[in-house]
Amino acid sequence: MQCNEKMTDCPVHCLTSPMVWHKQHVMLYLSPEINIQHLHSRGVSLVTVRSFAERRHHCLAVGLFAGTSLAVCEADRLQSWEERWAVNRTSWHLDDVNPHLKHHLAQLIDPKASVAGGMGPRVLVPLCGKSVDMVFLSRQGYRVMGVEGVRKAVEEFAQEFGLQVPTAKGPTMHVNFPPEVDTKRFRGHAVLISAEQTRREPPPPVIFLEGDFLELNAEMAKALVPFEAAFDRGSLVAVEPDDRKPYATALTHLMAPGGRVLLVTVEHDGFGERKGPPYQVLEADVRSLFGNNFHVERLRSVNALDKTMQARGATRFEESVYLLTKR
């Protein structure tokens, strides 16, 4: 590729950018101060780089068969959530255990399932943040793994709920995952949880897989060993609508046959110009995303309109709860 503009005017440092091959495109990394508007004025569209290692980079993708067609890859989808965590804009977290989880726990996990020896059923919590639900599940004797893309969320969970481990080099202990889980995109952490007075046996540690949930493919899911249960208490409604299918695919890979997902979605009339997050997810959307691989049962809907949602412009806000059972 030739750059025919002066370097001071060119939006891309064409002659000095390192190149890497990525499927059918050549990726040219750009400086963070790239003039995106300059590229827009030349008809350049935006795409996303779905790679943990490429976070916070802009790149120029040159289609091998697309002639002069160009696309700029923005910083990935995790950046906006990192920015929220950086300024403590995490009001979606509840102080107490999610009431839907308490109400439907027996439908999600067999109450007769053994939890002896720290070997209770395994529960996945996608896009978990620092949810207290994981503490609750761990103290029931269940083996919990949360997937979270923001390191600060993991550290805050450890600081607020974890036991200090003198030998650990930080707030969490390092966990090695199977080699199929790409260490360039994912990191493992463990947090020890204190036991309740009603239980003699200490709860299993909460395991974190730090990275982009949507990057988990079938090979990684198999290596992690699919789960018997999962609790989505606001994850599907948090991802951008265009990312719902990749989210559903990743979740499907991670569930064992017969595994159950307790899914909480929302239905609302929007927040002025913005539609979310949380984004509205209708029953038809749930069945479209999961119906081919799960039996879908709608358990209940409750009015959840509060002052916060009203202040954002909503006049209707309902939470709907589904039980998905993997075929």
Side-chain angles (χ1 to χ4, degrees):
M1 175 178 174
Q2 295 292 327
C3 181
N4 297 320
E5 301 183 66
K6 295 180 181 178
M7 192 62 71
T8 54
D9 298 325
C10 182
V12 183
H13 294 175
C14 307
L15 303 179
T16 59
S17 300
M19 271 190 182
V20 293
W21 291 99
H22 180 74
K23 295 183 179 179
Q24 293 184 337
H25 296 84
V26 179
M27 299 298 182
L28 303 178
Y29 289 100
L30 310 181
S31 59
E33 56 273 10
I34 177 176
N35 188 335
I36 298 295
Q37 293 302 320
H38 184 86
L39 290 173
H40 274 307
S41 69
R42 295 169 186 271
V44 176
S45 58
L46 295 175
V47 296
T48 301
V49 180
R50 302 178 184 272
S51 170
F52 188 87
E54 294 167 350
R55 287 166 58 178
R56 300 188 186 87
H57 289 283
H58 295 291
C59 65
L60 182 69
V62 184
L64 296 181
F65 305 104
T68 58
S69 176
L70 305 177
V72 175
C73 301
E74 293 183 301
D76 71 13
R77 63 187 141 256
L78 297 180
Q79 183 175 346
S80 64
W81 295 104
E82 290 174 337
E83 291 170 352
R84 286 181 171 92
W85 279 95
V87 295
N88 297 317
R89 288 176 53 202
T90 58
S91 59
W92 59 84
H93 278 299
L94 300 178
D95 294 330
D96 298 317
V97 178
N98 189 291
H100 299 304
L101 177 60
K102 281 188 172 182
H103 188 82
H104 297 288
L105 183 60
Q107 292 169 277
L108 176 63
I109 303 172
D110 185 354
K112 298 179 181 179
S114 173
V115 295
M119 296 300 291
R122 299 173 66 243
V123 185
L124 173 71
V125 185
L127 282 61
C128 60
K130 60 174 183 179
S131 173
V132 70
D133 299 330
M134 295 185 290
V135 178
F136 169 76
L137 290 166
S138 175
R139 286 176 174 166
Q140 307 305 307
Y142 306 138
R143 291 175 289 165
V144 180
M145 188 183 86
V147 183
E148 174 55 49
V150 180
R151 170 72 66 88
K152 191 171 187 284
V154 179
E155 293 177 346
E156 287 192 11
F157 177 90
Q159 292 162 358
E160 295 180 20
F161 304 115
L163 296 174
Q164 291 187 345
V165 180
T167 57
K169 296 182 180 180
T172 66
M173 296 180 294
H174 178 71
V175 173
N176 289 318
F177 286 108
E180 292 85 352
V181 180
D182 188 351
T183 56
K184 293 181 180 179
R185 292 185 286 171
F186 295 95
R187 299 183 179 93
H189 309 269
V191 179
L192 298 182
I193 304 298
S194 62
E196 290 183 312
Q197 294 181 351
T198 55
R199 286 180 56 86
R200 294 181 181 179
E201 191 172 339
V206 172
I207 305 301
F208 283 89
L209 181 62
E210 180 197 348
D212 189 343
F213 182 82
L214 275 64
E215 286 290 312
L216 290 168
N217 57 33
E219 182 183 17
M220 295 182 193
K222 183 178 179 180
L224 290 168
V225 183
F227 291 78
E228 297 104 308
F231 181 44
D232 175 340
R233 81 281 176 266
S235 307
L236 177 61
V237 299
V239 301
E240 295 293 325
D242 288 344
D243 285 330
R244 287 177 184 171
K245 286 186 178 180
Y247 176 90
T249 298
L251 184 58
T252 300
H253 289 325
L254 287 160
M255 298 306 299
R260 298 176 179 179
V261 180
L262 189 65
L263 169 66
V264 181
T265 66
V266 298
E267 298 181 20
H268 58 74
D269 54 3
F271 310 114
E273 294 183 357
R274 289 192 59 80
K275 300 299 182 183
Y279 293 98
Q280 174 171 257
V281 177
L282 302 175
E283 181 173 356
D285 299 322
V286 175
R287 295 188 181 278
S288 175
L289 289 167
F290 297 103
N292 289 338
N293 297 294
F294 293 84
H295 171 72
V296 178
E297 179 185 0
R298 184 167 182 160
L299 301 179
R300 66 171 179 169
S301 294
V302 298
N303 178 20
L305 183 65
D306 57 19
K307 292 181 180 180
T308 300
M309 295 304 168
Q310 288 177 326
R312 293 182 62 183
T315 62
R316 179 178 62 86
F317 193 91
E318 294 182 353
E319 292 181 343
S320 297
V321 185
Y322 299 85
L323 185 66
L324 314 180
T325 305
K326 181 80 176 289
R327 293 192 174 97

